[in-house]
């Protein structure tokens, strides 16, 4: 604003200076021209005086040549009067003899005219006597200079008119030009101001303009339109980039919370909102320290303080990690500082990773280790005690007692074997790359065989098995060994969790989808609460409550799931009602689509 007005006033100053200089020049020129003309007129006038005087001298000599001496005065007087009367320019005429004595002077007769004399001119009175010129006196003529004055006035006035008109025209042209240029400049100024406020695409009207200004305005309009196009392109580009960035951020499975230098949350992705159980408006532009977990605790406060108290380079190399609990979830938080391109600290990013499962698995793993050590120790202790007793005292016992001892040993050895098998299978299957050879088999005999091998265990609890088999079940491609182990797990669980005198129904039939054969084991045991049913097939998962007191490794069902789903492209299922019993089972495809090794590895 101030710059513009300064430039306009400078421009005005220049215009004024130009006007002053041109005025001075025009006035100077006018004065010079007038003076010059007046000088020339004066020169011409004095030349005219001299000629007049000389002519008068010759004439006077001629007219007095043959006149008597006493008549000379009156002759000269009359002639002089006639000249003076006929010519206003002559102020006086004076005749003098060769001794400068006045013979006749009109000054006496015309004193008023004589007073107007400005220029005087004299000429000798020469008489020619046979070629010899004799000076008999002189004539002096006084000129009033009236004509010179008139001519000078007229010339000066016309010159002044000419120069004044020229000056006025010149000034007017300059002023009009200035006004036009100023108008166009202010139009341009307005346009530039508009552009500077971001109104790209603003154009100026070039209708009443011409020449360079028209070119300038057209160039301005062109520039403005280009800026507009560029802006649109840029905005599109930026929007695209932002959308891409947002899409990436929003689709990250981990939660991301971005805070500025003042701890205000400026960005939060969908995963973070879900994990922290909040909506945009609850967290955006609020301080992250103010976030409360489900227990109402400010779970970030202390850690953010710790983060801020630690030097940035340390935090950059080793971000601060800690866990928070939101509802039933355990979230691992990683805070790292955020820097601009110029390496200025601009805030920090909190990455949230849902580690609920990992924490649970860790817990289950440690439970598993304590369970397994306990489970291994019990049968081994029982076996050692029983074998020791038999070794030292078998002769003292009757056959029945001995048999009872062997039964216990057999049962404990079987338990031990199952446990060791589960652990070995687990580590083998977890290691991956397990080749499972399959051949088309009728599954019913496999089931019958497994039920048979479980009879001893079942009889201990007076449990009865019944097998309901659909006739003419198609053969299915299975690995008999692994399906046997899976059945063994389901049957032994059913026995384990069934009450005394319970009944276990085993079914082998075509599934609702006739492309599958379904095998299920239904017991009348304690059942499984709903919330555990989803997790029951996970590794190490065990239900531990008042009704589920039986110890185990938590591996059995997980191995069934791997065998059925990973190695046989089937699916496992469980239906259970606490207190009423459970049905565990699986469906196997009759014509499975063979998976490649790569598919196996991906799984
Ligand atoms: P475990 O060796 O501990 O039995 P499993 O993986 O075979 O491990 O079983 C996991 C959990 O599922 C067990 O802890 C048990 O609580 C529950 N479970 C399995 N089968 C049954 C069943 N038939 N009835 C009730 N609960 C069962």
């Amino acid at each position: 604003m101030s710059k513009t007005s300064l430039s306009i006033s400078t421009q005005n100053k220049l215009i004024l200076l130009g006007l002053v200089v041109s005025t001075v020049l025009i006035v100077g020129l006018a004065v010079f021209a007038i003076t010059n003309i007046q000088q020339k007129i004066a020169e011409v006038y004095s030349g005219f005086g001299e000629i007049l005087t000389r002519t008068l001298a010759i004439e006077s000599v001629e007219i007095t040549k043959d006149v008597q001496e006493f008549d000379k005065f009156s002759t000269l007087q009359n002639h002089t009067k006639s000249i003076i009367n006929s010519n206003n320019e002559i102020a006086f005429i004076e005749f003098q003899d060769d001794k400068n004595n006045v013979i006749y002077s009109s000054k006496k007769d015309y004193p008023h005219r004589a007073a107007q004399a400005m220029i005087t001119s004299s000429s000798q009175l020469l008489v020619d006597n046979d070629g010899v010129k004799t000076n008999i006196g002189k004539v002096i003529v006084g000129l009033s200079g009236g004509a010179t004055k008139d001519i000078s006035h007229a010339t000066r006035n016309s010159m002044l008119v000419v120069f004044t008109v020229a000056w006025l025209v010149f000034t007017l042209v300059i002023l009009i030009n200035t006004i036009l240029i100023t108008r166009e400049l202010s139009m341009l100024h307005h346009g530039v101001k508009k552009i500077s406020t971001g109104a790209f695409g603003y154009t100026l009207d070039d209708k009443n303009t011409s020449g360079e200004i028209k070119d300038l305005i057209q160039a301005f309009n062109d520039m403005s339109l280009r800026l507009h196009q560029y802006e649109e392109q840029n905005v599109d580009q930026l929007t695209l980039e932002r959308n891409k960035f947002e899409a990436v951020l929003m689709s990250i499975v981990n939660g991301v919370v971005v805070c500025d230098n003042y701890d205000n949350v400026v960005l939060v992705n969908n995963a973070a909102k879900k994990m922290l159980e909040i909506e945009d408006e609850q967290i955006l532009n609020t301080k992250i320290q103010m976030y409360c977990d489900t227990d109402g605790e400010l779970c970030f406060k202390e850690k953010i303080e710790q983060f801020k108290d630690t030097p940035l380079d340390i935090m950059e190399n080793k971000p601060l990690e800690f866990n928070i609990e939101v509802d039933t979830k355990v979230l691992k938080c990683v805070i790292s500082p955020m820097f601009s391109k110029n390496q200025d600290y601009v805030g920090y990013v909190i990455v949230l990773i849902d580690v609920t499962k990992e924490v649970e698995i860790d817990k289950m793993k440690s439970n598993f280790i304590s369970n397994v050590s306990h489970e291994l120790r019990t049968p081994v202790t029982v076996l050692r005690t029983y074998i020791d007793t038999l070794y030292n005292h078998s002769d003292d016992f009757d056959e029945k007692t001995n048999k009872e001892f062997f039964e216990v040993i057999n049962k404990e050895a079987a338990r031990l074997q199952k446990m060791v098998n589960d652990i070995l299978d687990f580590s083998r299957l977890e290691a991956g790359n397990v080749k499972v050879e399959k051949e088309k088999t009728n599954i019913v005999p496999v089931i019958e065989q497994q039920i048979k091998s479980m009879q001893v265990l079942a009889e201990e609890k007076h449990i009865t098995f019944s097998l309901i088999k659909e006739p003419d079940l198609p053969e299915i491609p299975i690995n008999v060994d692994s399906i046997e182990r899976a059945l063994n797990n389901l049957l032994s669980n059913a026995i384990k969790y069934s009450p005394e005198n319970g009944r276990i129904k085993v079914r082998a039939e075509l599934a609702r989808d006739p492309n599958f054969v379904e095998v299920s084991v239904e017991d009348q045991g304690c059942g499984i609460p709903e919330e555990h049913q989803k997790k029951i097939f996970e590794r190490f998962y065990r239900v531990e409550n008042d009704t589920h007191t039986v110890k185990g490794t938590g591996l059995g069902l997980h191995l069934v799931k791997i065998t059925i789903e990973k190695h046989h492209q089937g699916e496992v299922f469980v239906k259970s009602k606490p207190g009423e019993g459970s049905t565990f089972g699986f469906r196997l495809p009759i014509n499975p689509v063979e998976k490649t090794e790569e598919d196996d590895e991906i799984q």
Side-chain angles (χ1 to χ4, degrees):
M1 172 85 185
S2 61
K3 267 191 178 176
T4 321
S5 64
L6 184 76
S7 75
I8 283 174
S9 84
T10 312
Q11 189 197 15
N12 283 342
K13 273 183 200 163
L14 271 174
I15 289 164
L16 277 175
L17 189 74
L19 271 176
V20 169
V21 169
S22 62
T23 309
V24 168
L25 267 175
I26 286 173
V27 169
L29 266 175
V31 169
F32 174 73
I34 290 166
T35 322
N36 215 14
I37 287 168
Q38 279 178 337
Q39 222 172 357
K40 287 277 179 241
I41 290 170
E43 276 171 23
V44 169
Y45 194 75
S46 64
F48 158 74
E50 272 172 31
I51 292 165
L52 185 76
T53 314
R54 235 177 276 151
T55 314
L56 191 63
I58 295 164
E59 205 181 37
S60 301
V61 170
E62 275 302 309
I63 60 167
T64 53
K65 192 168 64 179
D66 301 322
V67 178
Q68 294 295 317
E69 205 60 40
F70 59 87
D71 276 341
K72 270 188 186 172
F73 177 78
S74 61
T75 308
L76 286 174
Q77 187 181 35
N78 290 338
H79 186 59
T80 303
K81 276 184 177 175
S82 73
I83 292 170
I84 287 178
N85 287 335
S86 64
N87 197 327
N88 282 335
E89 281 303 301
I90 299 170
F92 70 89
I93 299 173
E94 194 173 272
F95 295 95
Q96 291 179 0
D97 62 15
D98 55 345
K99 291 188 180 75
N100 293 335
N101 295 319
V102 176
I103 303 167
Y104 171 73
S105 176
S106 69
K107 284 179 185 171
K108 277 186 193 148
D109 298 327
Y110 300 98
H112 183 65
R113 288 275 292 265
Q116 290 174 357
M118 275 185 67
I119 304 166
T120 54
S121 161
S122 67
S123 179
Q124 286 176 330
L125 297 169
L126 298 170
V127 179
D128 191 353
N129 289 324
D130 301 328
V132 181
K133 295 213 185 231
T134 317
N135 182 14
I136 58 162
K138 62 179 174 185
V139 60
I140 304 166
V141 176
L143 293 169
S144 67
T148 339
K149 269 187 216 158
D150 290 347
I151 294 169
S152 288
H153 274 133
T155 317
R156 196 185 58 202
N157 288 344
S158 41
M159 289 298 277
L160 276 177
V161 168
V162 168
F163 280 106
T164 310
V165 168
W167 182 83
L168 278 174
V169 170
F170 177 76
T171 310
L172 214 67
V173 167
I174 285 190
L175 281 177
I176 290 172
N177 202 27
T178 309
I179 289 168
L180 284 177
I181 288 179
T182 312
R183 192 182 67 93
E184 281 147 1
L185 276 180
S186 68
M187 203 162 90
L188 269 170
H189 172 231
H190 176 69
V192 171
K193 240 172 126 182
K194 278 265 181 194
I195 296 274
S196 71
T197 56
F200 300 142
Y202 179 79
T203 51
L204 297 172
D205 186 8
D206 63 351
K207 241 194 297 175
N208 297 325
T209 56
S210 59
E212 282 153 359
I213 292 284
K214 194 180 180 93
D215 290 347
L216 191 62
I217 289 180
Q218 278 171 356
F220 172 87
N221 288 347
D222 198 34
M223 175 198 77
S224 176
L225 290 174
R226 270 167 199 275
L227 277 173
H228 183 58
Q229 280 170 1
Y230 180 70
E231 186 198 26
E232 274 188 346
Q233 269 175 12
N234 243 10
V235 167
D236 284 353
Q237 188 78 20
L238 282 174
T239 317
L240 192 80
E241 290 299 320
R242 197 189 153 83
N243 286 350
K244 260 200 275 179
F245 168 72
E246 270 190 16
V248 170
L249 195 71
M250 288 304 162
S251 46
I252 292 175
V253 276
N254 290 332
V256 179
V257 179
V258 182
C259 298
D260 66 12
N261 215 347
Y262 308 101
D263 306 316
N264 291 321
V265 177
V266 287
L267 231 153
V268 58
N269 73 348
N270 291 338
K273 283 186 267 182
K274 209 164 152 194
M275 287 179 189
L276 298 174
E277 298 181 0
I278 35 157
E279 294 299 323
D280 269 341
E281 54 276 10
Q282 288 172 275
I283 185 131
L284 277 179
N285 299 319
T286 63
K287 299 243 180 288
I288 187 68
Q289 288 97 321
M290 293 299 117
Y291 171 80
C292 292
D293 61 16
T294 26
D295 293 337
E297 276 178 31
L298 301 168
C299 52
F300 284 111
K301 198 168 183 281
E302 202 183 307
K303 293 292 173 182
I304 299 280
E305 271 163 27
Q306 188 186 336
F307 169 79
K308 288 186 160 183
D309 290 343
T310 318
L312 283 174
D313 52 332
I314 296 182
M315 277 295 131
E316 201 184 355
N317 293 328
K318 197 173 176 296
L320 181 65
E321 290 186 13
F322 57 94
N323 284 2
I324 60 168
E325 279 177 30
V326 179
D327 201 8
T328 52
K329 297 185 290 281
V330 182
L331 305 176
K332 178 176 164 184
C333 308
V334 184
I335 308 186
S336 41
M338 204 167 58
F339 298 97
S340 72
K341 260 188 183 174
N342 308 331
Q343 285 303 305
D344 298 325
Y345 172 74
V346 286
Y348 48 90
V349 184
I350 306 173
V351 176
L352 304 168
I353 305 154
D354 191 339
V355 290
T356 318
K357 226 175 183 171
E358 282 80 350
V359 169
E360 225 168 75
I361 287 178
D362 272 355
K363 213 163 103 188
M364 287 192 291
K365 260 187 194 165
S366 53
N367 280 348
F368 167 77
I369 291 166
S370 78
N371 279 349
V372 166
S373 17
H374 178 82
E375 286 292 283
L376 286 175
R377 199 185 305 131
T378 317
V380 170
T381 316
V382 173
L383 282 173
R384 266 207 66 192
T385 321
Y386 274 68
I387 291 168
D388 197 45
T389 315
L390 277 179
Y391 182 75
N392 293 314
H393 308 285
S394 60
D395 295 343
D396 305 337
F397 300 141
D398 56 18
E399 202 179 326
K400 195 181 160 228
T401 316
N402 273 343
K403 209 178 164 192
E404 275 173 12
F405 267 71
F406 280 123
E407 266 172 21
V408 174
I409 289 170
N410 191 27
K411 203 180 99 189
E412 291 303 318
R415 228 173 97 181
L416 201 59
Q417 190 190 22
K418 182 187 176 305
M419 223 177 306
V420 172
N421 279 346
D422 279 359
I423 295 166
L424 287 178
D425 281 355
F426 173 71
S427 55
R428 191 169 57 92
L429 294 178
E430 283 289 293
N433 289 333
V434 186
K435 266 255 164 236
V436 184
E437 301 292 344
K438 289 173 227 163
E439 55 184 303
K440 286 225 167 198
T441 316
N442 182 356
I443 198 162
V444 177
V446 182
I447 300 171
E448 284 168 341
Q449 174 59 36
Q450 283 311 303
I451 293 177
K452 216 165 153 192
S453 71
M454 286 287 145
Q455 283 296 353
V456 183
L457 212 60
E459 272 164 19
E460 277 178 18
K461 289 173 88 175
H462 311 290
I463 291 168
T464 50
F465 279 113
S466 58
L467 174 64
I468 304 139
K469 52 190 175 183
E470 191 170 316
D472 304 325
L473 267 184
E475 289 191 333
I476 42 174
I478 52 169
N479 178 285
V480 177
D481 276 357
S482 52
I483 292 295
E484 270 179 1
R485 272 200 296 276
L487 278 167
N488 188 288
N489 265 312
L490 296 184
L491 292 171
S492 64
N493 274 352
I495 298 169
K496 206 153 60 164
Y497 298 103
S498 279
E500 293 266 336
N501 303 314
R503 243 186 103 185
I504 296 174
K505 281 186 202 161
V506 183
R507 287 189 181 82
E509 56 201 343
L510 261 186
R512 210 174 280 174
D513 176 350
N515 295 314
F516 288 83
V517 166
E518 186 173 300
V519 178
S520 61
V521 179
E522 182 187 331
D523 63 50
Q524 300 166 317
C526 53
I528 304 158
E530 179 92 37
E531 68 268 22
H532 293 291
Q533 288 179 25
K534 281 175 249 143
K535 298 181 176 177
I536 212 99
F537 290 98
E538 286 174 18
R539 58 187 173 165
F540 309 127
Y541 196 87
R542 304 197 68 254
V543 184
E544 278 174 356
N545 55 25
D546 295 345
T547 43
H548 286 251
T549 47
V550 191
K551 286 273 173 195
T553 57
L555 285 177
L557 288 178
H558 179 65
L559 292 173
V560 173
K561 186 178 164 78
I562 290 180
T563 303
I564 300 299
E565 295 189 353
K566 195 172 168 187
H567 297 153
H568 287 85
Q569 292 87 59
E571 56 183 357
V572 291
F573 62 88
V574 57
K575 285 177 258 171
S576 182
K577 260 196 177 169
E580 290 183 18
S582 317
T583 305
F584 280 88
F586 53 81
R587 296 179 196 100
L588 290 172
I590 299 166
N591 295 305
V593 184
E594 272 312 313
K595 281 205 252 171
T596 61
E597 272 179 33
E598 264 176 41
D599 289 339
D600 277 347
E601 270 168 35
I602 290 164
Q603 280 201 3

